[in-house]
Amino acid sequence: MTTVLRRATHWNRPLMFLVSVMAVCGVVAAVGILVDSRILTGAPIWLKPLKFAVSFVLYGVTLAWMLSLLPRRSRAVERAVVVIVAVAVVENAWIIGQVLRGQASHFNDSTPLNAALFAAMGAAIGVLFFAHLVIGIVVLIQRIPDRVAATAVGWGLGLSLLGMLAAVPMALPMQDPGIEGIGGAHSVGVPDGGPGLPIVGWSTTGGDLRVGHFVGLHALQALPILAILLSRFATRLDERTRARLLVVAGGAYGVLTVLLTWQALRGQPLLRPDAGTLVAFAALAVATATAAALVLARRRRPELALAA
């Protein structure tokens, strides 16, 4: 375990620095939940900083590992990483600062200062989006030698961008709840802060745009994990077949992210889909299974792969 941790520290120093900072922020937020009884929009006031800290820890570790696979260094990537680290640290400092002030960090237009802070953070997240896009482009250009890993990394980076875009509707005019000082919302059809699922807080009475946002973002981890599982437990499949299965999974994951966002925009709770939503999910499942079956039917036998 110690060897693994030491190796991880050399994947990408700025990103691993970010992971360390976010881990400390996570501990502070966890302690805050235990000792600070304040509630904001129906949840412990320190819950949002905890969620963001954990999210950035996962993001930083995964991205650092991905960049360690590149065949050579890239100045564009190094600069993009510095931008991402700076934005992440500033954003989390802002969220914790708002908690200390007893103010909401998101959609808060209650004062000129709060509105300016939220607008600035929105612009900063836009910068992070483009820095992440730069990294994705460089990864595609450099071509990671391992075909399966390259497919997982490429799809993971691309789908996480889709996950970022899934958050955009939260701040659009259609999400104005008509409450003074609030200029956006996670929930659709119901006020933020109502009944929600444990831990994540996703609304159980209306749509919740955080579902598609969450699923899309964590493609960054889901696709590489699937690649590792295929390499570990599907050893009879050749590299090309495993890569193609990842393409099928990536396409299905992207459609799932869109469907979850579509469901939320229609005001439906995640666990209470209507007939139209169920049909869409069923069609996705059938299409994914069919595509995977076709890939497996076309796979090369191990002995033929060795002969080639």
Side-chain angles (χ1 to χ4, degrees):
M1 184 66 179
T2 303
T3 302
V4 173
L5 290 175
R6 286 177 179 173
R7 188 180 305 165
T9 59
H10 295 289
W11 284 343
N12 186 284
R13 291 187 182 277
L15 283 171
M16 296 312 294
F17 166 76
L18 173 64
V19 169
S20 301
V21 172
M22 292 301 103
V24 172
C25 289
V27 172
V28 170
V31 172
I33 291 175
L34 295 175
V35 302
D36 190 340
S37 60
R38 288 179 297 166
I39 300 294
L40 187 65
T41 61
I45 197 169
W46 285 95
L47 184 58
K48 187 179 288 291
L50 178 60
K51 288 181 180 179
F52 271 73
V54 172
S55 181
F56 272 113
V57 166
L58 292 174
Y59 178 81
V61 168
T62 308
L63 189 57
W65 169 75
M66 288 178 169
L67 296 182
S68 73
L69 301 178
L70 291 177
R72 58 186 180 278
R73 293 180 59 183
S74 165
R75 288 188 179 181
V77 165
E78 291 174 355
R79 291 169 181 170
V81 164
V82 170
V83 170
I84 288 172
V85 171
V87 170
V89 170
V90 170
E91 182 181 13
N92 280 270
W94 162 62
I95 293 172
I96 291 175
Q98 288 294 82
V99 167
L100 295 175
R101 296 177 63 223
Q103 297 285 323
S105 55
H106 288 65
F107 318 126
N108 191 344
D109 295 333
S110 59
T111 67
L113 174 61
N114 286 330
L117 286 172
F118 182 54
M121 286 303 101
I125 292 301
V127 173
L128 185 149
F129 177 92
F130 284 105
H132 187 97
L133 176 60
V134 168
I135 291 174
I137 292 171
V138 171
V139 168
L140 291 177
I141 292 173
Q142 287 205 11
R143 296 193 179 186
I144 295 170
D146 185 322
R147 184 172 182 175
V148 176
T151 304
V153 170
W155 277 92
L157 288 169
L159 290 172
S160 58
L161 287 171
L162 178 63
M164 294 180 194
L165 291 175
V168 172
M170 298 180 192
L172 295 180
M174 65 181 182
Q175 280 297 94
D176 187 346
I179 301 173
E180 185 178 356
I182 302 298
H186 301 127
S187 303
V188 179
V190 295
D192 278 352
L197 294 175
I199 302 177
V200 291
W202 298 337
S203 178
T204 55
T205 56
D208 200 309
L209 292 164
R210 290 174 294 184
V211 182
H213 178 52
F214 175 90
V215 171
L217 283 180
H218 290 290
L220 201 68
Q221 290 82 37
L223 271 298
I225 288 173
L226 178 57
I228 292 170
L229 291 175
L230 286 173
S231 297
R232 176 67 178 84
F233 298 107
T235 53
R236 297 190 64 181
L237 298 179
D238 61 276
E239 185 181 55
R240 179 182 297 178
T241 299
R242 281 181 275 138
R244 287 176 174 173
L245 286 174
L246 280 169
V247 171
V248 172
Y253 200 101
V255 175
L256 176 63
T257 301
V258 173
L259 287 180
L260 290 170
T261 303
W262 171 67
Q263 179 187 13
L265 287 170
R266 293 163 60 227
Q268 292 177 26
L270 174 65
L271 301 183
R272 289 166 52 193
D274 65 7
T277 303
L278 287 174
V279 168
F281 283 130
L284 173 61
V286 170
T288 303
T290 302
L294 289 173
V295 168
L296 291 173
R298 295 178 58 189
R299 73 185 187 276
R300 293 186 295 176
R301 296 182 182 275
E303 57 271 18
L304 295 179
L306 289 172

